[in-house]
Amino acid sequence: MQALFGRRLLAKAAAPARIASPAGVSSSAGSPFVGEIIMAAFNFAPHGYVRCDGQLLPLSQNTALFALLGTTYGGNGQSNFALPNLNGRVPLGAGQGPGLSYYDLGQTGGSDAVTLLPTEMPAHSHTMALSYSQSLGNTASPENAYLASNGAGRPQYAATSTAYMASGATGSAQPHNNMQPYQVLAYYIAVQGIFPPRS
């Protein structure tokens, strides 16, 4: 019994020192790390957290968080600094995955909607061979017949015996939705807790 009690004391003594967490705040590791981001299904920041909405925080009141974030997400670095803005955004892991682009911490990008340019479309053709004929006939076969008449007995789309119909520009250049299916939750960042040690 005494040996067991001694081991418990030793385990307590070996545990890392922690900043006392505010009432009601807990995470899988007890107190959160300063700068830790959580995702929640409710619309208010828990005690010790603030919303990740890009807001500017005064540096003098948040020195621990500023020591971790700096001006990575904005701010002037003298009197204020910005939090990450995850409103309407999906977080992306920093670095480079196999065969993927490199992304810096704090980098933003992407777009809700995209307008395709002709240069971005896959190469393809819209051609149709037309047979020129001196007389318009009523036939079910396109051979020796016009695709369309301009009313004067001439082809609407061709003037030579082996012309090709050219497709003009089409479309209305309106952007199309570029978003994957989503479910909206809220992101909060810890401004109080344990200052994360480097490994």
Side-chain angles (χ1 to χ4, degrees), residues 3-199:
L4 181 61
F5 182 72
R7 274 192 296 235
R8 283 187 184 161
L9 281 178
L10 184 60
K12 275 192 167 185
R18 296 179 181 238
I19 297 172
S21 65
V25 174
S26 63
S27 70
S28 58
S31 295
F33 287 124
V34 175
E36 179 178 303
I37 293 177
I38 63 168
M39 188 171 26
F42 43 82
N43 64 355
F44 61 89
H47 186 75
Y49 288 81
V50 292
R51 184 88 179 250
C52 289
D53 58 3
Q55 65 178 297
L56 292 174
L57 294 183
L59 193 152
S60 60
Q61 297 172 24
N62 300 279
T63 53
L65 186 57
F66 175 72
L68 295 167
L69 301 185
T71 55
T72 301
Y73 304 98
N76 61 25
Q78 296 173 359
S79 61
N80 61 46
F81 66 101
L83 296 178
N85 186 359
L86 289 171
N87 286 342
R89 294 183 178 274
V90 176
L92 182 67
Q96 183 175 22
L100 301 175
S101 300
Y102 180 83
Y103 293 96
D104 284 315
L105 190 66
Q107 182 178 343
T108 60
S111 178
D112 289 348
V114 172
T115 302
L116 286 179
L117 302 173
T119 54
E120 297 172 318
M121 298 174 74
H124 63 288
S125 59
H126 294 270
T127 59
M128 181 178 292
L130 300 176
S131 296
Y132 183 82
S133 173
Q134 292 295 329
S135 61
L136 293 173
N138 295 321
T139 175
S141 169
E143 186 178 354
N144 296 322
Y146 294 111
L147 182 65
S149 171
N150 64 3
R154 294 290 181 199
Q156 181 77 20
Y157 299 108
T160 62
S161 59
T162 55
Y164 289 88
M165 180 177 73
S167 63
T170 186
S172 57
Q174 296 299 308
H176 67 272
N177 188 291
N178 194 41
M179 296 179 70
Q180 60 189 341
Y182 58 86
Q183 174 72 63
V184 178
L185 297 171
Y187 291 95
Y188 303 100
I189 188 168
V191 294
Q192 298 175 14
I194 305 165
F195 193 87
R198 293 182 183 272
S199 56

